[in-house]
Amino acid sequence: MKTLALFRHAKSDWTDARARDFDRPLNERGQRGALAMGGYIRDSGHRFDRMIASPAVRVAETIETASKAWGRTFAVEWDRRIYLASSATLMDLLRDLEGDPKAVLMVGHNPGLEDLIFDLVPDDGSSPLRDVVEQKFPTATFAVMELAIDSWADIDDRCARLVELKRPRDLDPALGPELPA
């Protein structure tokens, strides 16, 4: 059995139209969301053997801010392949993990993270949280899957069960989507 946690970067800033997508920082709501989710992850008791992440600025800032709430820093393996990756690319990256860690935290982007959940978790009612992901996998969302595999090399479609899903708005409604006036 393996554990894969996914953490989508927090809300980014779109005010500078000249900034490359890769270089967009977090906005103020994103900072608050990353801090809240960092506290939640700390309090949930999850432990990870490895953290792999996209090197995009908004991901790095999400990890940095969440780490303040965790009360510690983590060794992050930055992997450019995660930036805007498809589910297939993310699965290939996981298959190639060295050392065969038991629990991995991947920090990255949509639609890749969401699509990875759809590919790994069967749509058969065994993971009711999958339906929530179908509605939306917003920024700063944290999801945990248990994979029925002995080695990361064995990862394949429909091998997981989604056992936990937490969105920032579940912790603080002010961190949810902005409502129309």
Side-chain angles (χ1 to χ4, degrees):
M1 179 75 67
K2 299 291 184 187
T3 299
L4 175 62
L6 304 177
F7 187 20
R8 184 175 174 202
H9 68 77
K11 191 80 173 158
S12 60
D13 189 357
W14 288 86
T15 58
D16 184 354
R18 295 171 298 158
R20 292 183 326 147
D21 179 74
F22 187 87
D23 298 324
R24 282 189 292 115
L26 296 183
N27 66 16
E28 190 271 332
R29 190 172 105 201
Q31 293 282 343
R32 290 191 340 261
L35 196 60
M37 293 308 292
Y40 171 80
I41 296 167
R42 177 200 63 222
D43 294 344
S44 71
H46 291 290
R47 301 288 175 259
F48 305 102
D49 303 312
R50 302 272 282 282
M51 181 189 296
I52 54 177
S54 160
V57 170
R58 60 191 177 273
V59 172
E61 287 186 0
T62 297
I63 293 169
E64 178 183 342
T65 303
S67 292
K68 292 175 186 172
W70 283 328
R72 61 177 282 211
T73 57
F74 295 89
V76 180
E77 297 174 32
W78 303 105
D79 195 317
R80 180 101 184 185
R81 294 176 294 173
I82 297 172
Y83 176 66
L84 304 181
S86 67
S87 173
T89 298
L90 296 174
M91 269 202 256
D92 285 343
L93 189 149
L94 290 165
R95 280 187 195 103
D96 292 340
L97 284 175
E98 294 180 9
D100 212 28
K102 180 174 173 41
V104 173
L105 173 59
M106 179 182 286
V107 189
H109 311 267
N110 254 4
L113 295 181
E114 183 177 305
D115 290 344
L116 184 60
I117 292 172
F118 294 145
D119 288 343
L120 292 176
V121 178
D123 188 13
D124 62 3
S126 62
S127 296
L129 292 173
R130 188 182 192 281
D131 295 339
V132 178
V133 175
E134 285 182 7
Q135 294 168 19
K136 188 165 184 177
F137 192 76
T139 53
T141 293
F142 176 72
V144 179
M145 293 177 281
E146 293 175 346
L147 287 68
I149 58 175
D150 293 322
S151 169
W152 289 103
D154 300 330
I155 196 169
D156 204 359
D157 290 351
R158 298 176 301 283
C159 72
R161 194 167 63 90
L162 183 60
V163 297
E164 186 174 346
L165 181 72
K166 190 61 73 174
R167 303 166 298 185
R169 68 175 168 221
D170 298 331
L171 303 173
D172 178 354
L175 295 173
E178 296 173 12
L179 301 173

